[in-house]
Amino acid sequence: MTLSFKVFLSVSLTPYDALILVAIYTHCISGIEVPLEVFQSLIGPTMESSQYNPLSEPNSTYVGLHSPLIPDLTYIVRRLETMNTNQDTLAHIVKLMTSIETLETVYTILRQIKERCLVKTYREARSLSKASPSRKEKFITSKSFLGQYVEKCLLKMEIGGFEDKNILLYCLKGFIKGFTSSELNQKYQEMIDLEHMQQDIDNLTTRGATEDSQMISIFQSYTEQLKREDLPDLIITNYHLENILDWYLYKLVDDPSPPIDKDVSDLVNLMLKDMTLHNQTMLPKTLIIRYFQSVNSSSYSAALNALHNYFDYVLNQYDSASTHTSLLCMTAFHTHFNEPGMAVECFEEAIRVAREERNTETLNMIIMWVMKFIENYPQYSKEFHVKIEQITRFLQSSDLDVDADIFESAYRFDSLFLLREDANLIDLLEASYKYFLIALQNLQPEKDISNALNFRAQLWDDLGFPSLADSYRRPDDTDRELKKGFSSLESNDTKNVGPMLDNMDYTCLTYNNKLDFLRLQIRYLTEINETDEALAKIEEVINKVTLDCSDTHGAAIFELEKVILFHKAGVGMRGQALLLKLMNHYSSLDRGFYRAKCFLVLISILIEVEPKTSIRDLLCDQLTELLQFSELRPYVDNLLDRIAI
């Protein structure tokens, strides 16, 4: 394995450029058709990168695209094979490329393309074609896709001194040697049309040998005297490397499936391992990549170091956009490692800076990040409620067109806040309807709508319509496990519930899953007659969701669990007053499902102390309301059986 991997960022020609020039030579001079798709794949990565930023630019240009070609001849040939490139064409390019032994051959290829094929206008190309209809060369104009690339290479050929040329020759030989030692090379060597091929090889190598043989001799003698450890393993242009890093970062953050191309991943990791401080300064994106890699591997110190290095860099650049990016990275870092207090400080600083600079794009982005944060740490929802309202009002009053994402995030926040606040049903439905409607209207192919769907599922679950919730639900393994646990307890099967609770990582659950986990834990403790511990757990949860999260809705759910515990312990009348209070609370909010649940618990308690006739009349009076909720029908049937006369 390579102990070190040195990268040289070049502004002159690279081995990758040499391969593209060979392909252009094959197409324009050898008379062998090379599809435009091949040139697009080859030249695309060498063009200016999109400067992809996963925080400020969620809509990446890399969505649905293949990874940019990396400067490895074996990898490139394999990719071209997947594009159904003509085998004879590919064999010609491969043989011509592997026959290059000197830089002069590369320069000869470039000069011949310029002299024989490059013209200024289409009119000139038509005129030359009419004058010599028998010539096989294809003309390319200076402004065409291929022409612009050739013009850039001509400029690059003039740049760089002796050391640059020495590095280029050394890396060019390595570029070719890596392929010639592979089985893939043997396959194409057997396909070569030697007679047709030899003409091109002789033409290029003869010119290369005769035009400046003395220079080549001197050049090679100096090359042999240089120490190899001083030479890099890879020579690549800034744009090419940035495109590779952009795509790698996109796959790392936004699109982990399918997995990152192994060849690309190996190359990036090799480059990052030994990248010089100078190159890191030129490519600060490498620090972001190091950060995300460290976060994904739960390496706290490495992630923090990368983040601090990036933060130091952006502070020196006086770039406000990068400052916001670094602050939000800090927020994501502290959130990932369950440090919400530190995350809030970073959020507040990012909000302060963005508001001072009236940066609407960043404020919009901050709203969306705050929403995601609050879903995991609802104890901060009341604190952020005022800030989000202020930001939303500011954005609405700004001169710029307000992005639909702003309203989507604002109504999403309102819906979540109203749900946990146990607000009036009409207000809750109105806010959630606006949120979901805007989310659908703002839907784009690369946009994830799972947050909107999950909220709708949660909403209809809370309103007592699970079948409707299932049409929106995207259950994960945790949801299924918790649901299975509740089903087991309802069938009096407790043996698997305890181990399941012990094995589940509570700290990694979402807020809603944490509440379900605690409810299941309380039900389990009640079933195994650990009522004191279950009651203590209920009181602890009620205090936590009330004081920390201002979650009135969650507190009421656990108040109902307390009454159910009293009932199972044989002292149901102790919870009657609390039950009546909950029923009045839900009646005032038009929350029929929870009122109906409370009513059924009340009937279960009263059966033990009241005459069956009066209980039956009371239950029958409420059947219309009760039976509209499919989840409650089995409990209604059970109660009717128990009070049958």
Side-chain angles (χ1 to χ4, degrees):
M1 179 178 284
T2 306
L3 296 177
S4 63
F5 189 84
K6 298 178 181 177
V7 179
F8 180 73
L9 295 180
S10 175
V11 294
S12 59
L13 289 173
T14 68
Y16 188 84
D17 289 322
L19 173 65
I20 299 174
L21 291 172
V22 165
I24 296 174
Y25 182 94
T26 300
H27 179 73
C28 294
I29 296 178
S30 298
I32 299 174
E33 188 71 28
V34 179
L36 178 61
E37 293 78 7
V38 170
F39 289 118
Q40 289 174 333
S41 295
L42 287 170
I43 297 176
T46 68
M47 302 172 71
E48 186 172 1
S49 77
S50 64
Q51 295 296 328
Y52 171 61
N53 187 323
L55 299 175
S56 62
E57 299 173 18
N59 300 331
S60 170
T61 56
Y62 293 98
V63 175
L65 298 181
H66 286 294
S67 60
L69 287 169
I70 61 175
D72 179 281
L73 189 52
T74 304
Y75 177 86
I76 294 167
V77 172
R78 284 179 182 150
R79 173 72 72 81
L80 295 181
E81 283 183 332
T82 65
M83 297 170 59
N84 298 319
T85 308
N86 182 279
Q87 294 287 289
D88 292 334
T89 301
L90 198 48
H92 193 94
I93 294 172
V94 165
K95 180 60 179 176
L96 198 57
M97 184 67 201
T98 54
S99 68
I100 295 176
E101 296 182 353
T102 68
L103 292 185
E104 190 60 31
T105 304
V106 178
Y107 298 152
T108 300
I109 290 173
L110 183 54
R111 282 193 289 262
Q112 286 204 35
I113 294 172
K114 175 190 176 185
E115 293 166 3
R116 300 168 64 179
C117 303
L118 191 64
V119 296
K120 290 185 178 181
T121 64
Y122 287 109
R123 180 177 296 177
E124 183 181 348
R126 286 195 299 269
S127 176
L128 290 172
S129 296
K130 288 180 180 179
S132 304
S134 61
R135 65 182 293 166
K136 65 178 182 179
E137 289 92 347
K138 298 182 181 70
F139 293 108
I140 53 176
T141 65
S142 300
K143 300 298 183 182
S144 67
F145 182 63
L146 295 183
Q148 289 184 59
Y149 181 78
V150 172
E151 292 278 12
K152 289 178 183 177
C153 287
L154 287 167
L155 180 61
K156 287 181 179 181
M157 188 174 69
E158 306 300 328
I159 298 175
F162 172 79
E163 181 60 22
D164 293 321
K165 290 181 171 59
N166 179 64
I167 291 172
L168 174 57
L169 179 60
Y170 175 74
C171 291
L172 179 64
K173 289 182 176 180
F175 182 77
I176 295 171
K177 183 179 179 181
F179 177 77
T180 54
S181 60
S182 68
E183 294 180 3
L184 195 59
N185 177 55
Q186 185 61 33
K187 167 187 171 182
Y188 284 102
Q189 294 298 334
E190 294 171 356
M191 296 171 55
I192 296 298
D193 179 355
L194 289 177
E195 183 177 350
H196 189 187
M197 188 75 247
Q198 198 62 43
Q199 181 181 350
D200 275 337
I201 294 175
D202 291 343
N203 181 41
L204 293 172
T205 55
T206 301
R207 285 172 178 259
T210 57
E211 287 187 5
D212 206 349
S213 57
Q214 186 178 3
M215 185 277 293
I216 295 173
S217 177
I218 296 172
F219 183 78
Q220 288 178 336
S221 67
Y222 276 106
T223 301
E224 291 171 359
Q225 296 173 20
L226 290 172
K227 295 181 180 180
R228 293 228 160 174
E229 56 266 26
D230 293 333
L231 295 170
D233 298 281
L234 174 69
I235 180 173
I236 190 171
T237 62
N238 278 44
Y239 286 161
H240 194 173
L241 182 53
E242 283 179 355
N243 273 305
I244 294 171
L245 294 177
D246 282 347
W247 186 87
Y248 180 86
L249 187 57
Y250 158 68
K251 295 294 289 184
L252 188 67
V253 178
D254 286 344
D255 188 20
S257 179
I260 299 174
D261 187 320
K262 186 178 183 304
D263 291 293
V264 178
S265 179
D266 289 345
L267 177 65
V268 171
N269 288 326
L270 273 173
M271 290 190 294
L272 292 180
K273 178 174 173 288
D274 294 294
M275 185 165 282
T276 64
L277 183 61
H278 172 71
N279 285 351
Q280 287 182 23
T281 303
M282 294 179 66
L283 298 162
K285 191 176 278 86
T286 57
L287 296 172
I288 300 179
I289 290 176
R290 287 182 190 274
Y291 162 70
F292 280 112
Q293 286 178 329
S294 302
V295 168
N296 290 345
S297 61
S298 297
S299 177
Y300 184 95
S301 59
L304 190 59
N305 286 338
L307 210 49
H308 280 158
N309 288 337
Y310 182 75
F311 193 73
D312 291 341
Y313 165 78
V314 299
L315 286 179
N316 291 328
Q317 300 301 309
Y318 302 104
D319 181 354
S320 61
S322 297
T323 303
H324 300 139
T325 299
S326 62
L327 286 169
L328 291 176
C329 275
M330 287 279 192
T331 303
F333 168 79
H334 291 301
T335 303
H336 180 81
F337 288 102
N338 294 314
E339 298 175 334
M342 297 291 292
V344 168
E345 291 182 12
C346 295
F347 266 132
E348 290 177 342
E349 179 64 14
I351 291 172
R352 183 189 66 78
V353 174
R355 290 185 68 175
E356 284 180 358
E357 298 178 356
R358 303 180 68 82
N359 188 321
T360 56
E361 182 179 350
T362 302
L363 287 171
N364 178 26
M365 180 171 60
I366 288 172
I367 286 181
M368 291 184 280
W369 274 60
V370 168
M371 276 302 311
K372 189 65 177 175
F373 175 79
I374 288 174
E375 287 181 355
N376 294 323
Y377 297 97
Q379 60 266 41
Y380 297 98
S381 58
K382 183 166 286 188
E383 178 180 346
F384 277 113
H385 193 247
V386 175
K387 285 187 173 68
I388 287 183
E389 285 185 337
Q390 291 174 342
I391 292 173
T392 305
R393 284 198 299 270
F394 166 73
L395 292 171
Q396 287 174 317
S397 63
S398 65
D399 296 333
L400 301 174
D401 292 334
V402 180
D403 197 304
D405 287 336
I406 297 172
F407 294 106
E408 180 183 338
S409 298
Y411 283 120
R412 178 181 169 195
F413 181 83
D414 280 342
S415 302
L416 188 64
F417 190 80
L418 291 171
L419 181 63
R420 290 179 179 160
E421 199 180 39
D422 250 350
N424 180 275
L425 180 61
I426 301 301
D427 294 336
L428 173 60
L429 288 175
E430 183 178 297
S432 65
Y433 173 76
K434 290 177 180 178
Y435 162 44
F436 195 63
L437 185 63
I438 294 174
L440 290 178
Q441 290 177 337
N442 198 30
L443 187 61
Q444 298 170 1
E446 66 278 3
K447 183 178 177 181
D448 185 8
I449 199 175
S450 60
N451 287 324
L453 295 175
N454 289 336
F455 179 80
R456 295 294 284 183
Q458 179 190 351
L459 175 65
W460 290 116
D461 261 337
D462 280 338
L463 296 180
F465 299 100
S467 58
L468 187 54
D470 287 341
S471 64
Y472 296 100
R473 196 187 317 278
R474 292 182 175 181
D476 56 21
D477 291 339
T478 303
D479 294 325
R480 296 187 188 95
E481 282 290 303
L482 291 170
K483 191 173 182 180
K484 184 179 177 181
F486 282 111
S487 299
S488 298
L489 290 184
E490 288 177 4
S491 58
N492 298 317
D493 179 13
T494 60
K495 64 179 180 180
N496 295 322
V497 178
M500 185 201 77
L501 291 170
D502 291 337
N503 294 330
M504 195 171 287
D505 189 354
Y506 176 79
T507 59
C508 295
L509 300 180
T510 64
Y511 178 73
N512 290 326
N513 280 342
K514 283 180 179 178
L515 294 187
D516 287 337
F517 176 92
L518 292 170
R519 280 202 309 122
L520 180 60
Q521 190 179 49
I522 290 164
R523 294 271 182 97
Y524 172 70
L525 291 172
T526 304
E527 289 294 329
I528 62 175
N529 296 318
E530 296 288 347
T531 52
D532 290 342
E533 186 178 348
L535 185 59
K537 178 67 71 175
I538 289 174
E539 294 294 348
E540 178 188 342
V541 174
I542 290 173
N543 288 333
K544 189 170 185 63
V545 300
T546 303
L547 299 176
D548 293 347
C549 309
S550 302
D551 188 354
T552 308
H553 180 58
I557 289 175
F558 283 91
E559 294 280 11
L560 181 57
E561 289 296 324
K562 185 193 295 185
V563 177
I564 293 172
L565 183 149
F566 287 151
H567 177 48
K568 287 182 176 290
V571 289
M573 294 305 294
R574 282 183 56 187
Q576 185 176 358
L578 177 57
L579 199 54
L580 292 173
K581 178 182 176 183
L582 287 172
M583 289 177 65
N584 290 332
H585 170 71
Y586 286 124
S587 295
S588 67
L589 300 174
D590 293 326
R591 304 294 288 275
F593 176 64
Y594 282 101
R595 181 187 177 283
K597 287 182 72 172
C598 293
F599 179 77
L600 290 178
V601 176
L602 179 62
I603 293 295
S604 299
I605 295 172
L606 293 178
I607 284 176
E608 300 174 1
V609 295
E610 296 290 339
K612 288 185 178 181
T613 304
S614 60
I615 297 299
R616 186 179 180 85
D617 291 341
L618 184 61
L619 182 60
C620 289
D621 286 343
Q622 300 294 323
L623 280 181
T624 302
E625 180 179 351
L626 295 171
L627 294 179
Q628 68 177 309
F629 305 111
S630 59
E631 185 179 328
L632 302 181
R633 289 169 192 168
Y635 301 102
V636 174
D637 293 339
N638 178 264
L639 289 173
L640 287 173
D641 290 340
R642 290 176 62 187
I643 60 177
I645 300 174

